[in-house]
Amino acid sequence: MRDGLTRRQALGLGGAFGLLAATGLSTAAALARRPAVTGAELRSAVPLPPPFTVPLPIPAVLKPTRADHYEITQRVAELEVLPGIRTPMWTYGGTFPGPTIESRRGRPVTVTHHNTLPVPTVVHLHGGRTPAESDGYPTDLVLPAGWADHHTMHDPRAVTTRLTRDYTFPLDQRPALLWYHDHRMDFTGPAIWRGLAGLHIVRDDAEESLGLPAGPRELPLMIADRAFAADGTLDYPSVDATLRARPGVRETFLGGVLGDVVLVNGAPWPVHEVDAVRYRLRLLNASNARHYELEAVTDDGRRLDLVQVGADQGLLAAPVTHTSLPIAPAERYDVVVDFAGVPIGGRVRLVNRLGSGRTAEVMAFRVARTARDDSRVPPVLSTDLPSWDRAVRTREFSFRAGQLAGGGHGWVIGGRPFDPARSDVTVRSGDVEVWPLVADVHHPVHLHLAGFRILSRGGRAPLPHDAGLKDTVSLRPGESAEIITRFDGYRGRFLFHCHNAEHEDMGMMANLEVT
């Protein structure tokens, strides 16, 4: 097999394309035997630290340069991700993750991004209810010094700037954990992999009055997998390592790129000291392609409840209790975990039931002391979830492997690869629509601008973790799901796409025009 993978690895990790390459099966036969994960795993060539030895870092909160205005410089920085090893990364402000922005509901902020990287960038506030001009359309590039802008000529509507760009976010939306990341056309995957991701938290008075765990007992946790080359650099299978001209990854990795190191807030398998009280864990899967199924397990094998209080687009109506929680790329979940029943000195591991070996572990919590706990999880969390009853139309979309316009394998929506010059879907502002979605392999489908509710999966009721308002739905292999949403707020050109970053880069996006 190519790239040092055995036939078994290709079957188990390569998704539809890996299966086709390994066996020569037809597409239908390959999909009938699809593996449990989509993607191929890179193996690090440096010594990896034992789990639960590196302290969990908490990303710094960015201070405004003036009222409601922030500045971030995108730059190369050498960071110590693995102990004793320096790794050059592309960063927001010199850190990975980038600095966290904290905002108030309905209070607009402007973030000025300065691009000092060697390639163009685009910033998308994922989950933001944002005007089109600040939504981070993939061809609205911020060009670096000395870069010719001919790369955008295929999109006459592209709005490029040089060196800097102001992104304005009205934040007229429910309080939620959002995240910002690079969204450059054809190169989103390697840019996020190299470090271009950070958190943005929207808050309001109503949420803060609930009594949920707060302050140091509210932990943002960005989970992401990576792999490291022998020289300490990040390993990624780009066909063009400069990311300047030719997009894409080597054939083995067309299904997605998986790493063998699990990072939380940029640290490998970290450990965090906690009191024997409730904590609010604000979970983000910022991996390119890896799915997780999370459980909180004590050293004696007990599973602690994961009490879900929020989803992608903020608070649920009421708490939902899980013992296991699947999370796909770009999904967010807010869960409350109570460490009160864990002995002092005891440990709780956050494990990944979809992983094997080192990727079966995520991080650990060590219970250090008893403490007073005034927090609570109220039976009613919010009363402002939208309820849409009547849809004006239904549109069905398939997400599957397909041929790209120039030939070769790719990923397509409705049989067509992405073309920024084409209008795919036009909706009227204020319209409510139902979208049935169907997948061949794993596809986490993300809708820009609008949150949605999941109506069904495979014609049956949604799963417990589908509660609340979402902006990303995880489609499992061969699965269909129905979502309902209302398109309002802003007019212009937006997107919907698969958030497996390699699928996105290889054609699995579509244009959404709100008129």
Side-chain angles (χ1 to χ4, degrees):
M1 292 299 298
R2 282 184 154 191
D3 307 307
L5 286 187
T6 65
R7 180 178 182 275
R8 177 180 176 276
Q9 287 172 317
L11 286 168
L13 296 169
F17 290 121
L19 191 58
L20 287 166
T23 65
L25 295 173
S26 68
T27 300
L31 293 178
R33 292 175 50 188
R34 54 187 162 250
V37 295
T38 299
E41 186 174 271
L42 293 161
R43 297 299 176 92
S44 294
V46 294
L48 301 177
F52 320 138
T53 56
V54 177
L56 174 74
I58 304 298
V61 175
L62 188 63
K63 295 181 179 180
T65 54
R66 57 184 185 273
D68 302 317
H69 192 111
Y70 298 85
E71 301 217 11
I72 294 176
T73 298
Q74 305 165 3
R75 63 184 179 89
V76 176
E78 279 203 355
L79 305 179
E80 188 174 309
V81 179
L82 302 178
I85 297 175
R86 305 295 292 180
T87 298
M89 300 189 73
W90 291 0
T91 72
Y92 293 122
T95 65
F96 174 69
T100 298
I101 298 175
E102 294 203 0
S103 303
R104 305 298 297 184
R105 179 178 188 171
R107 183 168 177 171
V109 302
T110 296
V111 184
T112 300
H113 278 265
H114 305 277
N115 181 12
T116 68
L117 294 170
V119 299
T121 61
V122 178
V123 179
H124 171 55
L125 180 60
H126 183 118
R129 187 177 167 87
T130 304
E133 59 268 22
S134 289
D135 190 54
Y137 192 82
T139 56
D140 289 347
L141 304 175
V142 182
L143 303 176
W147 187 276
D149 60 3
H150 62 83
H151 297 275
T152 64
M153 294 301 289
H154 60 285
D155 181 10
R157 296 175 64 181
V159 179
T160 61
T161 61
R162 192 168 294 278
L163 300 180
T164 188
R165 188 184 186 105
D166 289 342
Y167 294 88
T168 297
F169 306 117
L171 302 176
D172 181 18
Q173 60 187 100
R174 308 175 76 241
L177 173 66
L178 315 179
W179 64 302
Y180 61 99
H181 62 77
D182 193 71
H183 209 276
R184 176 189 169 201
M185 183 169 168
D186 297 336
F187 294 94
T188 294
I192 293 177
W193 190 272
R194 293 190 187 195
L196 292 180
L199 301 173
H200 191 136
I201 300 174
V202 182
R203 304 188 184 277
D204 75 356
D205 294 343
E207 182 187 44
E208 290 171 343
S209 70
L210 293 175
L212 296 169
R217 295 174 183 172
E218 177 188 347
L219 298 176
L221 301 176
M222 178 189 285
I223 303 170
D225 60 337
R226 297 291 187 269
F228 295 82
D231 60 359
T233 60
L234 288 168
D235 191 10
Y236 187 85
S238 295
V239 294
D240 173 11
T242 69
L243 308 188
R244 296 180 66 87
R246 186 182 172 195
V249 291
R250 300 194 301 269
E251 184 178 353
T252 297
F253 299 90
L254 291 174
V257 180
L258 310 175
D260 64 343
V261 178
V262 177
L263 305 176
V264 183
N265 294 349
W269 303 285
V271 61
H272 188 65
E273 188 176 277
V274 297
D275 298 333
V277 298
R278 296 183 192 89
Y279 278 72
R280 181 181 183 181
L281 309 183
R282 311 202 69 171
L283 301 165
L284 159 66
N285 182 357
S287 303
N288 280 30
R290 184 177 293 280
H291 293 242
Y292 302 81
E293 187 170 330
L294 301 177
E295 293 180 1
V297 182
T298 64
D299 279 339
D300 61 3
R302 286 188 301 120
R303 292 192 297 176
L304 301 187
D305 285 344
L306 304 174
V307 182
Q308 184 187 351
V309 297
D312 299 334
Q313 288 285 303
L315 292 169
L316 307 185
V320 178
T321 299
H322 312 276
T323 54
S324 181
L325 184 64
I327 182 169
E331 284 191 302
R332 287 94 67 211
Y333 289 102
D334 276 11
V335 299
V336 174
V337 176
D338 192 348
F339 296 103
V342 181
I344 303 305
R347 186 179 66 175
V348 176
R349 293 156 47 235
L350 192 64
V351 301
N352 171 28
R353 293 303 185 197
L354 298 182
S356 61
R358 300 294 293 269
T359 61
E361 304 283 358
V362 178
M363 66 170 294
F365 303 92
R366 192 167 298 281
V367 180
R369 64 192 73 82
T370 59
R372 177 174 173 173
D373 189 1
D374 296 323
S375 72
R376 67 190 189 106
V377 179
V380 176
L381 296 166
S382 67
T383 58
D384 65 344
L385 281 167
S387 178
W388 303 299
D389 295 324
R390 295 187 179 181
V392 299
R393 67 185 58 85
T394 297
R395 307 177 196 258
E396 183 172 322
F397 299 97
S398 63
F399 292 76
R400 61 177 177 80
Q403 295 293 315
L404 299 180
H409 291 309
W411 300 93
V412 297
I413 299 175
R416 299 199 293 182
F418 180 61
D419 180 352
R422 184 184 67 228
S423 179
D424 295 305
V425 176
T426 300
V427 302
R428 293 177 300 182
S429 180
D431 277 0
V432 176
E433 297 195 358
V434 169
W435 288 11
L437 313 172
V438 62
D440 54 2
V441 294
H442 289 98
H443 294 299
V445 177
H446 170 49
L447 178 62
H448 285 220
L449 179 66
F452 55 79
R453 290 180 12 236
I454 299 175
L455 295 178
S456 67
R457 284 185 182 268
R460 300 179 180 178
L463 297 171
H465 63 270
D466 290 331
L469 199 62
K470 302 274 292 171
D471 57 51
T472 305
V473 56
S474 176
L475 300 179
R476 297 169 298 184
E479 186 177 48
S480 63
E482 275 192 334
I483 64 172
I484 185 171
T485 190
R486 184 173 188 262
F487 296 97
D488 62 3
Y490 304 102
R491 294 174 173 84
R493 183 171 63 161
F494 298 91
L495 290 170
F496 61 100
H497 60 86
C498 178
H499 220 288
N500 176 315
E502 284 70 46
H503 296 185
E504 175 182 345
D505 284 344
M506 290 182 286
M508 194 165 264
M509 297 195 293
N511 284 309
L512 168 68
E513 195 85 32
V514 181
T515 62

